[in-house]
Amino acid sequence: MSENNGHLPIIGRAWHPSTREPGPLLPATRLALANWVRPDGLARRELVLGAAEGEPWEVMTIDSESAEQAWRVIHLLDGKRTLADIAKETRLDLALVSSVAQDLYHRAVLVQTSGLEVDALTYYEHLRSLAGIAQQRWGPSSMLRRFWTGPVSRRLAVGYLLENYHFAAAASSHQSAAVASQPTERLKTILSEHLSFEYWHHAWLKRGLLAAGLTEADLEHASPLISMQALINHLRWLGMADPLSYSACIGVGEGDPTALATVGKFWERFTEHGVLPVEAFGPFRDHDIGDCSDDHDQFGREPFADAGPLTAADQARIRRRLITFCRLTMAYHRELLDFYGPEQGPTVFSVED
C-alpha cells in the first residue's frame, strides 16, 4: 500500500460478497402450503395469496420450464409427506422435487412442518418473502397509500422527513452494537462498512429539514414518535443480543437494486404533491436511491451466508423478532398519519408536550 501523500492508504473494500447459493432442503423435510395460499386458486393452477375472504393480494407465477412438474408436486405438499416421499410417489427426480419446493419455500408459499435444520441462507430468502406477506396480511399501510394517492399536506410531508431523520440519526447506536456482536472478523468488517456508509447521513438529511423550514430549535425539541423510538430500540437490542435477527431486519429494511424503480416512483409522486421544495426532500430521495444502488441488502444477507444450519428454535426466534420489526414499522406508519396527518397541529412531536 502506498503512503498516499502522508494520508491513510486507500484500501477499498476489505471484503468480497459471498458467492454461495442457498443450500438445498433436506430430503426428509416436510412442507405444507401456507394458510395465506387460497385453495380456490389451486384448481385453476394459480398460486393466489390472500385471506379466505376479500380480494387476493397477489397471484404468483411459476417458471414455465418447471410449471408442469410443480403442479404434480404442489398438491402433495401436505405437511406429512417428505420430499423423498413425494419424489417416489410422482416418480420425479428428488433434485427436481427439491428445486420446486425450495423455490416455493423461498417465496414463503410453503412453511416447514418437520422441525428440521435449514440452511441459513435458504431461511434468509424465506424470511424476506415472509416479511412482505406479513405486511400484506395486516392490510396496506394507510400512510403509504396517502403518499401515493394524496392528499399530502406540508405538515405531513415534513413529519415524514423528520421521522426518517430520527431513524438515520439513531443508526450508529445499533450498528455499532451489531459490529461488536458479530462472531467473525469478516462480519465485523462488513458491518463496519455499513456503519461507515450510514453514520454521517443524518447530517446530510438535516440540511433538507432546515430547507423545509424547520429551525435548529425545532430539531432540538423534536422527539421520534413513540413507535419510531420502539423500532429503534428493537434494533439496538438485537444489535447487542441477536446478530442474525438483527441482520434479518436490516435485510428487510434496506433497499436493493430491484427496488430502484419503485423508490424512484415514490419520490416522483412526492414531488408531484408540490408541498416542499426539492432542497427539502432531495437529500432523503438521494439517500434512498443510493441505498438501493449500493445494494445495502447485502449487509443483511452476508451474516446468513456465513452462518451454519439453523435449528427449529433458531428459525422460530428469528422469525418472531423479524415479525416484531415489521409490526413496529406498521405501527409507526399509523402513528405518523395520526399525528402529522391533520393540517393543523404542533410543528414537531415531542415527548415533553
Side-chain angles (χ1 to χ4, degrees):
M1 295 183 292
S2 68
E3 290 298 322
N4 195 28
N5 296 322
H7 298 288
L8 290 174
I10 299 173
I11 62 174
R13 171 168 279 180
W15 60 279
H16 298 285
S18 172
T19 58
R20 88 169 180 91
E21 296 295 322
L25 297 169
L26 297 173
T29 302
R30 296 190 301 272
L31 298 160
L33 287 166
N35 60 11
W36 45 81
V37 178
R38 289 170 52 149
D40 54 298
L42 299 180
R44 303 189 301 272
R45 292 197 166 193
E46 290 181 344
L47 287 173
V48 181
L49 306 190
E53 298 179 359
E55 293 297 318
W57 312 321
E58 182 181 354
V59 178
M60 284 191 175
T61 59
I62 299 177
D63 183 84
S64 58
E65 293 183 6
S66 59
E68 190 58 40
Q69 291 89 341
W71 287 110
R72 289 178 62 184
V73 166
I74 286 173
H75 72 284
L76 300 176
L77 293 162
D78 56 4
K80 300 176 183 178
R81 295 174 171 89
T82 67
L83 296 179
D85 292 336
I86 293 173
K88 183 176 181 181
E89 188 170 339
T90 58
R91 297 184 181 180
L92 293 172
D93 184 75
L94 176 59
L96 175 61
V97 171
S98 297
S99 176
V100 168
Q102 186 150 349
D103 174 60
L104 299 177
Y105 181 73
H106 283 174
R107 295 200 249 174
V109 171
L110 297 177
V111 294
Q112 190 195 177
T113 62
S114 47
L116 296 179
E117 290 185 341
V118 172
D119 173 73
L121 196 51
T122 293
Y123 195 58
Y124 176 72
E125 296 297 333
H126 175 78
L127 287 174
R128 278 177 57 82
S129 297
L130 182 66
I133 287 173
Q135 293 186 39
Q136 290 183 82
R137 293 180 73 189
W138 303 328
S141 162
S142 55
M143 181 206 77
L144 290 178
R145 183 169 60 243
R146 176 74 71 86
F147 275 99
W148 280 106
T149 63
V152 173
S153 67
R154 180 185 178 282
R155 182 169 180 264
L156 177 58
V158 172
Y160 175 76
L161 300 184
L162 179 59
E163 291 304 311
N164 277 268
Y165 165 78
H166 286 311
F167 189 73
S172 63
S173 67
H174 53 79
Q175 290 172 337
S176 56
V179 170
S181 69
Q182 294 305 313
T184 68
E185 287 303 313
R186 177 178 183 273
L187 292 177
K188 288 180 190 296
T189 299
I190 292 171
L191 271 293
S192 292
E193 182 174 296
H194 190 212
L195 174 59
S196 72
F197 272 132
E198 298 288 347
Y199 84 97
W200 57 273
H201 281 178
H202 68 283
W204 179 27
L205 302 182
K206 181 179 178 180
R207 295 203 301 266
L209 293 175
L210 295 175
L214 295 185
T215 66
E216 293 281 359
D218 290 330
L219 296 179
E220 184 67 27
H221 184 62
S223 306
L225 293 169
I226 298 304
S227 50
M228 173 58 77
Q229 188 64 64
L231 185 63
I232 291 167
N233 287 343
H234 184 62
L235 290 175
R236 286 172 175 162
W237 171 59
L238 293 180
M240 293 186 292
D242 190 346
L244 278 183
S245 294
Y246 177 83
S247 298
C249 295
I250 292 300
V252 168
E254 290 281 11
D256 64 35
T258 64
L260 269 171
T262 300
V263 169
K265 289 178 181 176
F266 174 83
W267 286 107
E268 286 176 12
R269 189 71 187 103
F270 195 99
T271 305
E272 291 167 359
H273 293 306
V275 292
L276 289 175
V278 69
E279 292 80 11
F281 65 82
F284 294 84
R285 177 198 60 199
D286 295 346
H287 177 243
D288 283 354
I289 291 174
D291 282 358
C292 293
S293 299
D294 292 336
D295 197 8
H296 279 202
D297 159 70
Q298 64 191 327
F299 297 115
R301 185 182 189 276
E302 288 298 322
F304 282 87
D306 276 15
L310 301 176
T311 66
D314 292 331
Q315 296 165 46
R317 183 193 76 249
I318 297 169
R319 182 178 62 249
R320 284 194 302 270
R321 291 174 177 177
L322 175 62
I323 294 299
T324 298
F325 175 82
C326 295
R327 284 194 178 276
L328 288 170
T329 300
M330 297 297 281
Y332 148 63
H333 287 188
R334 290 191 295 271
E335 190 179 4
L336 180 83
L337 199 56
D338 286 345
F339 184 82
Y340 287 106
E343 291 195 26
Q344 302 299 318
T347 303
V348 300
F349 171 79
S350 173
V351 294
E352 298 184 24
D353 290 341

